[in-house]
Amino acid sequence: MSNLDLVFGALADGTRRAMLARLGEGETTVNALVALTRHKQPTVSKHLKVLERAGLVMRTPKAQYRMVQLNPVPLQEAELWIKRYASLYTDSFDRLDHLLQDERQNSPIEEQL
Amino acid sequence: MSNLDLVFGALADGTRRAMLARLGEGETTVNALVALTRHKQPTVSKHLKVLERAGLVMRTPKAQYRMVQLNPVPLQEAELWIKRYASLYTDSFDRLDHLLQDERQNSPIEEQL
DNA sequence: AACTCATATTCCATTATGGCTATATAGCCA
DNA sequence: TGGCTATATAGCCATAATGGAATATGAGTT
């Protein structure tokens, strides 16, 4: 499975997006994230695992807490995908550019994404 | 369910991203999309329905074909979300800006997304 | 009308997801 | 040590998602 699958999959949930938004303001603890949502702690831990699997989040132990930290890189990749593949329609110069690049690789297309 | 859920969910699949990438180059038929993937036609039709539900795609009948067309708007919204909520870490000016805006609304956070 | 091609729908099996409760683990503090 | 707190894991359930085969629909074509 592509990493973009995991990243977009992780983003496809409001609770997880809320957690990311919060993490964008700085690292925090798991409990702080629990407080943000209407869910129980184990549920939040599961969501964290999804985010972690997508590479969006890192957990580092600090005393009895696990500090949760945002990793922006996969988000940038996701943003890049949207720009690269789905904004072709706007800029026809860009479009030609991408078409040329795609020429080099071939089917099955899904493996390139 | 938020529309971003549907959009990101739709993007969380390489086959669908491949279809979108193709649609970025212009409208096409369902069969052309089938040819792009390793999947059967009914499967592709299902994927199209997912994309349609997310508002990413429109189908208009043209003779016996259904022309499939990309709708860029939800993609822009998705891109915007990434920028708005998850790129806080980069620009501290931006960050302050968002924090101030968030001040007005409150919990549960997930409903704001 | 009969045939064909393009696409959608139905049904089925398999697997994934999201939430909960209950329980385990592990670090701190007294 | 014992007890509190923070977090993870396991087990369970309901629901949704994925893919295929078979079939239906609908438009063109002869």
Side-chain angles (χ1 to χ4, degrees):
Chain A
M1 188 155 51
S2 154
N3 195 50
L4 275 181
D5 284 26
L6 296 176
V7 175
F8 282 124
L11 293 176
D13 180 291
T15 300
R16 285 192 294 262
R17 287 197 304 278
M19 292 166 62
L20 288 177
R22 173 65 182 76
L23 289 168
E25 299 167 10
E27 74 172 7
T28 187
T29 73
V30 177
N31 258 348
L33 294 173
V34 172
L36 280 189
T37 74
R38 62 179 106 99
H39 298 297
K40 304 295 182 184
Q41 173 264 317
T43 300
V44 171
S45 276
K46 255 194 205 174
H47 281 302
L48 272 175
K49 206 187 277 186
V50 173
L51 292 171
E52 199 170 35
R53 208 159 83 92
L56 284 163
V57 135
M58 286 175 49
R59 272 181 281 194
T60 54
K62 189 168 224 166
Q64 71 253 210
Y65 310 91
R66 312 294 181 95
M67 301 310 290
V68 185
Q69 205 177 353
L70 180 66
N71 174 19
V73 179
L75 282 173
Q76 293 166 339
E77 290 169 359
E79 193 185 342
L80 194 64
W81 185 93
I82 296 183
K83 280 187 171 147
R84 167 108 164 56
Y85 277 97
S87 303
L88 297 179
Y89 63 95
T90 45
D91 184 336
S92 59
F93 178 75
D94 232 49
R95 180 189 197 141
L96 177 59
D97 183 44
H98 295 334
L99 285 176
L100 289 175
Q101 293 191 19
D102 291 345
E103 214 70 40
R104 299 168 314 181
Q105 315 141 324
N106 16 27
S107 54
I109 281 207
E110 1 195 333
E111 256 109 49
Q112 306 170 18
L113 303 182
Chain B
M1 186 156 49
S2 154
N3 194 51
L4 275 180
D5 284 26
L6 295 176
V7 175
F8 282 125
L11 293 176
D13 180 291
T15 301
R16 286 193 292 261
R17 288 198 303 280
M19 292 167 62
L20 288 177
R22 173 66 182 73
L23 289 169
E25 299 167 9
E27 72 172 8
T28 188
T29 73
V30 176
N31 258 348
L33 294 172
V34 172
L36 282 188
T37 75
R38 63 179 105 99
H39 297 296
K40 304 295 181 183
Q41 174 265 317
T43 300
V44 171
S45 275
K46 263 193 201 169
H47 281 302
L48 272 175
K49 206 186 277 186
V50 173
L51 292 171
E52 200 170 34
R53 207 159 85 92
L56 284 163
V57 135
M58 286 175 48
R59 273 180 279 193
T60 54
K62 189 169 223 166
Q64 72 255 201
Y65 311 92
R66 312 293 180 99
M67 301 311 289
V68 185
Q69 205 176 351
L70 180 65
N71 176 19
V73 178
L75 283 172
Q76 294 166 337
E77 290 168 359
E79 194 185 340
L80 194 64
W81 186 91
I82 296 183
K83 279 186 171 151
R84 168 105 162 57
Y85 278 97
S87 302
L88 298 178
Y89 64 95
T90 43
D91 185 334
S92 58
F93 179 76
D94 232 49
R95 180 188 194 142
L96 178 60
D97 184 43
H98 295 334
L99 284 176
L100 290 175
Q101 292 191 19
D102 291 346
E103 213 71 38
R104 299 166 315 182
Q105 315 139 327
N106 15 27
S107 53
I109 282 210
E110 359 195 336
E111 255 108 49
Q112 307 171 18
L113 304 183

